[in-house]
Amino acid sequence: MQSKDIRERYLKFFEKRGHKIIPSASLVPENDPSSLFTTAGMQPLVPYLLGAKHPAGTRLVDVQKCVRTGDIDDVGDNRHLTFFEMMGNWSLGDYFKKEAIEWSLEFLTSKEEGLGLLSSRLYVTVFKGEDGIPRDEDAIQIWKENFKKHNIDAGVAGEDEIIKDGVRIIPLGKEDNFWIAGQVGPCGGDTEMFYDTHPEEGPVIGKFSDLVKSGRIIEIWNNVFMEFNKTSDGKYEKLSKPNVDTGMGLERTTVVMQGKSTVFDTDIFEKILGEIKSKAQKKDERAERIVADHIRSAVMIISDGVIPSNTEAGYVLRRILRRAIRFIDQLGINKEEILSIAKVVINELSYAYPVLNEKGNEILEVIQTEDEKFRKTLAQGLKEFEEATRENKLISGKISGKVAFDLYQSKGLPIEIQMELGKEKGLLIDMKEFYDEVVIHHQKSKAGSEQKFKGGLAGTGEIETKYHTATHLLLASLRKVLGGEIVQKGSNITAERMRFDFNWPEKLTQEQLKAVEDLVNEKIQEKLPVEMLELPKEEAKKIVTTLSFDLSKYGDVVKVYKMGDFSTEFCGGPHVANTSELGHFKISKEEASSAGVRRIKAILE
């Protein structure tokens, strides 16, 4: 079954069952400044999962285009992609577990309307219960009944999670089978469906996690049953109208349906890789896959209005394109052939996204312009990189961070590409020294106060900048006084005052408020330097004091602001250079904001 057929069957199956087919949302999220790209099928529907009424009704079905770049360095292996598509069907306070599970099994096994998979090769997981939430006995019973329709007596695995003796249902904990978008809000257990990809190896026997790791069984579908609301004090309350949120990866399903080992062996990539291989002078499977994935992603991102730049989504696009160009060169493909590869991508996906035909020339022009621009940068940068590595190799086997920063700053050679080049030569870049150079550069620049910021700031004037910097000290002080579970829930800053919301179940005592206020002023008097670091996301996670925001929604490189050893936070700016500039901090009011959320209003004198 071709990927196109899988897509059409999915949409028609659920349309027949009362679902309205809705188009894919843009890869650039609307009204969500916290996220550069749509990273999951449910993301555009979050407002409706939270209770807003969808104009198309309470039953929806779609195929949503998504981009994730967190694992970009792993692209080229058997499973990682930057662009992918998620098929989803949704119940907004309509049907629930019975229908969702019943239709899942029906679509997977029906030869007439669905995929025609064998029920004898299906295994499912359910939520086993944790944190006061009971095991999902309803899902277990519904699965048993539906397996029975296929003459399968489905057993339930024990705590050992071993599949044997007719076990088909495996209860797992929160880490595997529970979904929540953030720290609070709608959530619930889920049920995931897995398929035996190698029945020729005999009966499926063993621990569930081992069977997944080995690739013996592969996940093909996930149904989330959002039936609870997690409050700020950690309680799970039943929702009056629960929702169903499902996801089925088109690429992964195609792998199963076509009996392949990787998505790159399916019809999704057949013509794209064929074009690449026909133009390549060298054979390199990893490089071929990277070029195919990256050009595919770039075409789709550009079609939604993004152009290469040095910030936000444009930066991610630039990084994707420039990596593709590097590997095109490694394969010995003539530079002008990047457009022929892009044309194949446009032709392959235009049946689902007609806008690709409408914007075809524009997409090709953007790619060509970036290709020409990068080649000029790369030629000079690579020459100097080669000289730098020759010198450094003789000294210590490590490339100087100062040299790397100069190549990045003055020659435009991205640090990620320098890291890849170094890796190929068995050399490491002194990243600590590189980041030190970044800090020095930004301290010399006054650009920080002019940078775009999306965090409740009314303006970027001097006083607003001071108040915003003070919110970092306030958060760190609250965590010291009240405990490490405190996170920011919102802020609003004007030239007259700051307002800061945080999770706490009760009114603060006068002693607690005084302790917080005193600690903020103590750190102001200590004259702590405020440093800004631009770090790869995974590096940032290792050093921040607390994550008040979901970093999975952000790009590969994030900004971190450090105030001595007291506060290190992910943030978009702007900030003062030293805490001594803040004056005297005074809390003017403490009150309730909403259930489980308190609000502090404060001024700087």
Side-chain angles (χ1 to χ4, degrees):
M1 190 180 291
Q2 298 291 289
S3 56
K4 182 178 180 179
D5 299 325
I6 296 170
R7 178 199 301 270
E8 291 178 352
R9 281 196 169 217
Y10 186 87
L11 293 172
K12 287 180 180 177
F13 180 92
F14 284 98
E15 183 182 37
K16 186 177 178 182
R17 286 153 182 81
H19 293 67
K20 178 72 174 177
I21 298 175
I22 58 173
S24 171
S26 170
L27 280 171
V28 181
E30 296 180 9
N31 303 317
D32 185 2
S34 66
S35 182
L36 294 179
F37 293 108
T38 299
T39 59
M42 53 72 62
Q43 191 174 334
L45 290 168
V46 165
Y48 308 105
L49 293 169
L50 294 176
K53 291 190 180 299
H54 196 286
T58 58
R59 295 187 181 189
L60 312 173
V61 62
D62 68 353
V63 181
Q64 174 63 45
K65 49 190 176 182
C66 304
V67 163
R68 292 181 191 170
T69 57
D71 297 321
I72 192 171
D73 293 328
D74 295 320
V75 171
D77 64 7
N78 288 344
R79 63 189 184 90
H80 285 94
L81 299 172
T82 54
F83 171 79
F84 60 97
E85 297 177 271
M86 287 296 294
M87 303 182 289
N89 58 285
W90 318 84
S91 166
L92 306 177
D94 195 318
Y95 61 85
F96 201 41
K97 295 178 186 179
K98 181 180 183 299
E99 295 86 346
I101 291 174
E102 186 177 301
W103 289 335
S104 294
L105 186 58
E106 189 177 356
F107 178 72
L108 289 172
T109 59
S110 171
K111 292 182 179 179
E112 293 75 23
E113 295 183 275
L115 303 183
L117 296 175
L118 296 174
S119 55
S120 60
R121 290 164 63 179
L122 284 171
Y123 297 81
V124 300
T125 60
V126 296
F127 180 51
K128 75 173 183 180
E130 273 183 26
D131 287 354
I133 305 174
R135 189 166 86 157
D136 196 343
E137 298 294 349
D138 290 342
I140 291 173
Q141 187 57 37
I142 295 167
W143 272 119
K144 282 186 172 184
E145 292 169 1
N146 278 274
F147 271 122
K148 199 73 174 176
K149 294 176 185 176
H150 291 251
N151 298 313
I152 295 174
D153 189 10
V156 181
E159 285 293 323
D160 58 7
E161 300 171 11
I162 298 292
I163 295 178
K164 63 178 181 179
D165 301 331
V167 164
R168 294 276 169 178
I169 304 167
I170 305 95
L172 299 175
K174 287 184 73 175
E175 187 175 338
D176 296 293
N177 281 68
F178 195 87
W179 184 92
I180 185 168
Q183 293 189 340
V184 297
C187 54
D190 64 16
T191 182
E192 300 176 6
M193 288 137 270
F194 294 77
Y195 198 63
D196 176 12
T197 57
H198 294 287
E200 71 280 0
E201 295 179 5
V204 175
I205 299 175
K207 186 165 184 176
F208 173 79
S209 58
D210 294 337
L211 292 164
V212 173
K213 286 176 186 174
S214 69
R216 176 63 195 267
I217 58 176
I218 182 173
E219 180 194 341
I220 54 175
W221 204 344
N222 180 14
N223 288 355
V224 178
F225 302 128
M226 291 198 286
E227 56 183 321
F228 300 101
N229 179 58
K230 185 181 180 184
T231 63
S232 56
D233 56 358
K235 294 179 180 176
Y236 294 92
E237 300 173 343
K238 276 272 191 179
L239 290 173
S240 58
K241 287 189 175 182
N243 302 317
V244 175
D245 158 10
T246 80
M248 189 180 203
L250 178 60
E251 291 80 7
R252 186 176 291 189
T253 305
T254 303
V255 170
V256 172
M257 293 304 298
Q258 296 180 4
K260 303 296 184 180
S261 299
T262 83
V263 66
F264 295 104
D265 299 320
T266 68
D267 73 298
I268 291 173
F269 280 94
E270 183 179 3
K271 290 184 180 178
I272 303 170
L273 282 171
E275 181 71 12
I276 293 167
K277 290 176 180 178
S278 71
K279 307 293 184 185
Q281 301 300 312
K282 300 175 185 176
K283 172 76 175 163
D284 184 333
E285 184 177 68
R286 177 174 177 266
E288 291 165 357
R289 290 175 173 181
I290 289 171
V291 172
D293 168 82
H294 285 17
I295 298 299
R296 194 164 171 259
S297 284
V299 165
M300 296 305 297
I301 291 170
I302 296 167
S303 74
D304 276 335
V306 180
I307 59 173
S309 71
N310 287 327
T311 59
E312 299 184 332
Y315 173 77
V316 177
L317 172 60
R318 172 161 283 169
R319 184 184 179 197
I320 287 172
L321 271 173
R322 291 187 171 187
R323 282 190 99 231
I325 293 165
R326 277 252 305 121
F327 285 99
I328 282 174
D329 288 351
Q330 281 191 21
L331 288 166
I333 298 174
N334 292 334
K335 62 182 181 180
E336 62 271 11
E337 298 295 352
I338 190 172
L339 297 185
S340 68
I341 300 169
K343 286 177 183 175
V344 174
V345 172
I346 291 170
N347 290 336
E348 285 293 280
L349 285 168
S350 58
Y351 80 93
Y353 305 103
V355 69
L356 295 178
N357 279 332
E358 299 166 19
K359 293 187 173 182
N361 291 335
E362 179 185 330
I363 293 168
L364 296 175
E365 187 177 329
V366 170
I367 292 174
Q368 184 173 25
T369 300
E370 183 63 17
D371 181 76
E372 293 170 353
K373 186 180 295 185
F374 181 50
R375 289 187 182 282
K376 290 176 184 176
T377 297
L378 196 58
Q380 184 62 31
L382 287 177
K383 182 181 176 183
E384 298 204 18
F385 185 86
E386 288 293 333
E387 292 175 5
T389 55
R390 277 198 297 272
E391 295 169 10
N392 279 270
K393 196 169 186 179
L394 292 172
I395 301 170
S396 62
K398 184 176 277 192
I399 302 165
S400 161
K402 290 183 178 179
V403 171
F405 179 77
D406 182 61
L407 289 170
Y408 164 72
Q409 180 64 24
S410 61
K411 307 303 179 188
L413 193 64
I415 188 62
E416 297 91 349
I417 287 180
Q418 293 188 55
M419 290 168 74
E420 287 183 2
L421 290 168
K423 193 175 181 181
E424 291 167 10
K425 295 175 179 292
L427 297 171
L428 295 173
I429 294 174
D430 189 334
M431 294 306 293
K432 181 182 183 303
E433 190 176 57
F434 174 81
Y435 293 129
D436 287 344
E437 290 297 311
V438 172
V439 171
I440 292 169
H441 172 75
H442 281 281
Q443 283 179 343
K444 289 178 179 177
S445 170
K446 293 184 179 179
S449 63
E450 301 301 322
Q451 291 169 356
K452 182 180 180 184
F453 175 62
K454 303 160 180 171
L457 207 57
T460 55
E462 181 182 352
I463 185 62
E464 289 99 330
T465 299
K466 288 182 178 180
Y467 273 124
H468 175 67
T469 307
T471 64
H472 287 266
L473 294 180
L474 174 58
L475 175 58
S477 298
L478 285 165
R479 288 171 62 81
K480 290 284 186 184
V481 173
L482 301 179
E485 297 301 313
I486 298 296
V487 294
Q488 180 178 335
K489 289 296 183 182
S491 70
N492 180 265
I493 292 166
T494 68
E496 290 73 41
R497 56 99 181 108
M498 61 175 282
R499 192 180 76 199
F500 187 85
D501 293 351
F502 58 99
N503 56 312
W504 190 249
E506 59 195 14
K507 183 177 177 64
L508 272 67
T509 65
Q510 287 302 312
E511 291 77 12
Q512 289 170 327
L513 287 172
K514 187 176 187 306
V516 170
E517 189 179 86
D518 288 348
L519 190 50
V520 172
N521 284 314
E522 179 183 318
K523 297 305 169 183
I524 291 173
Q525 290 161 15
E526 286 179 8
K527 300 180 180 179
L528 301 176
V530 181
E531 302 174 339
M532 193 279 278
L533 309 175
E534 284 187 306
L535 303 174
K537 189 181 345 184
E538 294 308 312
E539 291 296 316
K541 286 181 180 178
K542 294 175 185 176
I543 66 169
V544 294
T545 311
T546 180
L547 283 175
S548 290
F549 306 97
D550 181 5
L551 281 188
S552 68
K553 296 180 178 180
Y554 291 79
D556 300 302
V557 177
V558 296
K559 289 177 180 149
V560 172
Y561 280 84
K562 189 172 186 294
M563 301 181 193
D565 294 323
F566 186 64
S567 169
T568 306
E569 300 290 345
F570 161 75
C571 193
H575 301 72
V576 299
N578 192 288
T579 61
S580 62
E581 299 175 36
L582 300 181
H584 184 266
F585 177 84
K586 182 178 180 181
I587 295 175
S588 56
K589 193 171 187 180
E590 188 272 342
E591 60 188 1
S593 171
S594 59
V597 178
R598 303 298 297 181
R599 171 171 292 170
I600 281 179
K601 292 180 180 178
I603 58 172
L604 291 170
E605 299 174 319

